[in-house]
Amino acid sequence: MGPRLDTVNDQPTGARPRFEVRARHTESTVTVYQAYRPEIGRAAARDGRFPSSWSRERMTWIKPSFLWMMYRCGWGTKKDQETVLAVEISREGFVWALRNACLSHHVPALHGDAAAWRRELRRAPARVQWDPERDLRLGPLPYRSLQLGLAGEAAARYADEWIVGIEDVTPLATEIRGLVRAGETERAAGLLPEERPYPLDEDVLARLRP
């Protein structure tokens, strides 16, 4: 089941830390979301790996939040984002990326001067940014959702080592969107992937919280 909803705002009940990693996860895997044009997305779901047309030269962003992915891709209606993928990756890979990530913006208390942050950003194979989490109507919530960008070594490890499985969840996105538009938010919420706080050592998050 998905999160219980506030009947006024369609928002998950209960206080949330402002910066917290939440995801669908098992003892060995974490699920993240991406959206691609059909030629890439459908091939990836069919074969369980990205096709040769998938670029390793560009930064690829993975999102543990299903609803933030829906906000980004418009429920799979935006151009070149029509196929929504749930990518199950190893927990080891996910934590490696976080341990080797740099915040995407300068925070003096963490990085010192801006030049030091820019040097760290250039070296890091991954970067983190925090954006407002989204509710069922894709409005912003008062707490943040992790976005994890992978480049260079991190992108190669993601594509070649970390992926356990890839599922095309476009039909799920379409069904939930239809229920929301019909005002059936309780039914829509019941279809959401269950995303729970992901356990991380404090030293990992301390480097990545603004």
Side-chain angles (χ1 to χ4, degrees), residues 61-139:
W61 288 88
I62 59 177
K63 297 96 173 166
S65 166
F66 179 83
L67 283 175
W68 202 94
M69 185 71 258
M70 296 305 98
Y71 166 73
R72 180 67 180 85
C73 72
W75 300 99
T77 64
K78 292 185 179 179
K79 180 176 171 53
D80 293 334
Q81 299 184 63
E82 299 92 342
T83 304
V84 184
L85 300 179
V87 184
E88 196 174 15
I89 64 174
S90 70
R91 288 176 70 140
E92 291 84 356
F94 184 64
V95 173
W96 184 94
L98 291 174
R99 286 192 177 278
N100 288 276
C102 177
L103 269 176
S104 61
H105 66 281
H106 176 232
V107 177
L110 290 176
H111 307 119
D113 62 29
W117 164 73
R118 284 192 291 269
R119 287 193 297 271
E120 181 181 347
L121 191 66
R122 284 195 297 268
R123 290 194 301 264
R127 62 183 58 178
V128 160
Q129 66 183 47
W130 299 88
D131 297 296
E133 182 59 285
R134 299 287 158 167
D135 62 23
L136 269 171
R137 292 190 174 91
L138 307 186

Side-chain angles (χ1 to χ4, degrees), residues 5 136 175-177 179-180 184-192:
L5 294 185
L136 269 171
E175 183 177 5
I176 294 175
R177 178 176 184 250
L179 290 170
V180 172
E184 298 187 55
T185 53
E186 290 289 344
R187 286 183 61 196
L191 295 177
L192 290 174

Side-chain angles (χ1 to χ4, degrees), residues 121-184:
L121 191 66
R122 284 195 297 268
R123 290 194 301 264
R127 62 183 58 178
V128 160
Q129 66 183 47
W130 299 88
D131 297 296
E133 182 59 285
R134 299 287 158 167
D135 62 23
L136 269 171
R137 292 190 174 91
L138 307 186
L141 291 169
Y143 48 91
R144 299 284 169 154
S145 176
L146 175 81
Q147 320 304 321
L148 183 56
L150 309 175
E153 180 184 1
R157 285 174 176 248
Y158 172 62
D160 298 333
E161 301 174 15
W162 300 346
I163 293 175
V164 175
I166 302 178
E167 180 184 1
D168 182 348
V169 292
T170 313
L172 176 63
T174 301
E175 183 177 5
I176 294 175
R177 178 176 184 250
L179 290 170
V180 172
R181 296 182 73 177
E184 298 187 55

